Amino acid sequence: MTAKSLYPIVIVFDLDDTLYKEINYLRSAFQYILTHYGLSQYFETFLQTYQQGKDAFEWLISNYLPQISKEELIELYRNHIPSIALSQEVYSALESLSLNPNVTLGIITDGRTRTQLNKIGALGLYDFISDDHIIISERFGFAKPNPANYLYFMENIEAQEYWYVGDNVQKDFIAPNQLKWKTICLNDDGLNIHAQNVVVNDAYLPQIRIDSLSELLVFATQLPSA
C-alpha cells in the first residue's frame, strides 16, 4: 500500500506581540528591577511613567537610585528571566499545528540573543519549535526585513508553502511578500507595543489578517493532502 503523500508547509512566527504580549515582558522586567532594588511598592508609578511616554529609567534614577547608571538598569531589563506565559489559545494553536505532520514551525524575531532566548524558554516554545528553526537577529546576523532571515527556511526546509505570521506592518511582511510567502497579520487587540495603524506602501501589507492564532488551524486543515 502506498503511503499518503504530504503537503508540507513551514509556518514561521514573529515572537513579540505575536506569540505573547510584549507589554507582559515589560511589566515583568519592571517588577524585577524594582524588586532587585527593594522598590517594588513603586511598580504602578514606574509603569505609568513609561505609559506617559517618559523615560522611566531616568525617573527611577533621579528619584530613588542616583548611584545607579541607566546602563545597569538596561542590562537588568534585557537579561532577566521573564515571568511570561503563552495564553491558553496560543498554546492550543501551537500544539495542534506541531502535531500536524504537514507542518514545520519556526520563529524569526529581532532582538538580542540572550533576551529573546530567555523569552522563548520562559514561554515553553521549545516544546513546539526546535532551536535550529529559531532565527534571532543578533545571533543570525540580519534583522527584518532582510530577506536572508526568510531564505534560511527556504534553503533548509523543502516545502510547498511558507507562511509568516507577525504583527508589525513596518517590517514583518515586505520580505516574505517578495519571496511569495503567505503573510498573515495578527491584529492588534489594543495591547501591542507597536501600532498597526500606520501608513505604509502596499508591498508592506499582509495578505491575510486574523484576530487569533487559532484561526491558523482553519487554514491548515484546508491544505491539500498531496
Side-chain angles (χ1 to χ4, degrees):
M1 184 173 65
T2 304
K4 182 180 178 181
S5 297
L6 297 179
Y7 187 89
I9 66 169
V10 173
I11 304 176
V12 183
F13 296 93
D14 174 48
L15 179 60
D16 302 305
D17 276 335
T18 298
L19 293 180
Y20 83 105
K21 287 300 178 184
E22 190 172 2
I23 188 65
N24 292 335
Y25 177 83
L26 183 143
R27 292 177 67 92
S28 169
F30 283 4
Q31 187 64 67
Y32 176 82
I33 291 168
L34 292 173
T35 300
H36 181 79
Y37 291 110
L39 299 170
S40 57
Q41 68 269 31
Y42 299 111
F43 174 77
E44 289 300 331
T45 306
F46 192 38
L47 181 63
Q48 288 170 9
T49 301
Y50 164 80
Q51 291 172 332
Q52 291 166 1
K54 301 175 184 177
D55 189 322
F57 289 157
E58 291 291 355
W59 173 87
L60 188 63
I61 291 167
S62 63
N63 286 279
Y64 300 105
L65 299 172
Q67 75 281 15
I68 302 298
S69 71
K70 185 175 180 180
E71 288 69 27
E72 290 176 82
L73 298 182
I74 291 172
E75 283 301 302
L76 289 173
Y77 180 94
R78 291 173 176 167
N79 297 326
H80 87 290
I81 304 300
S83 297
I84 54 177
L86 298 177
S87 69
Q88 185 57 54
E89 182 266 331
V90 172
Y91 182 94
S92 297
L94 292 176
E95 182 178 48
S96 295
L97 290 169
S98 68
L99 293 173
N100 186 328
N102 289 347
V103 175
T104 300
L105 301 180
I107 289 174
I108 295 175
T109 178
D110 286 346
R112 289 168 176 79
T113 303
R114 182 172 179 182
T115 301
Q116 299 306 84
L117 288 178
N118 284 347
K119 294 174 186 177
I120 289 164
L123 293 168
L125 291 172
Y126 291 117
D127 291 346
F128 312 111
I129 303 170
S130 64
D131 187 63
D132 60 335
H133 294 161
I134 296 174
I135 299 299
I136 301 171
S137 60
E138 183 181 67
R139 181 168 71 170
F140 188 64
F142 299 98
K144 293 181 286 185
N146 194 302
N149 303 46
Y150 304 87
L151 286 168
Y152 172 86
F153 288 94
M154 300 180 77
E155 293 167 354
N156 287 280
I157 309 172
E158 185 175 353
Q160 296 290 333
E161 294 187 23
Y162 299 86
W163 301 1
Y164 191 68
V165 185
D167 71 282
N168 191 333
V169 296
Q170 297 184 75
K171 65 177 183 177
D172 279 348
F173 308 115
I174 182 170
N177 279 339
Q178 292 169 345
L179 294 170
K180 309 303 182 185
W181 287 36
K182 180 179 290 186
T183 52
I184 303 166
C185 181
L186 180 64
N187 289 327
D188 180 8
D189 61 359
L191 297 176
N192 285 19
I193 296 290
H194 300 289
Q196 293 178 343
N197 58 341
V198 294
V199 177
V200 295
N201 186 284
D202 286 351
Y204 286 78
L205 296 176
Q207 299 157 23
I208 299 169
R209 288 184 175 270
I210 59 176
D211 292 319
S212 70
L213 291 189
S214 59
E215 294 178 47
L216 293 177
L217 303 178
V218 176
F219 296 129
T221 57
Q222 294 172 347
L223 291 168
S225 61

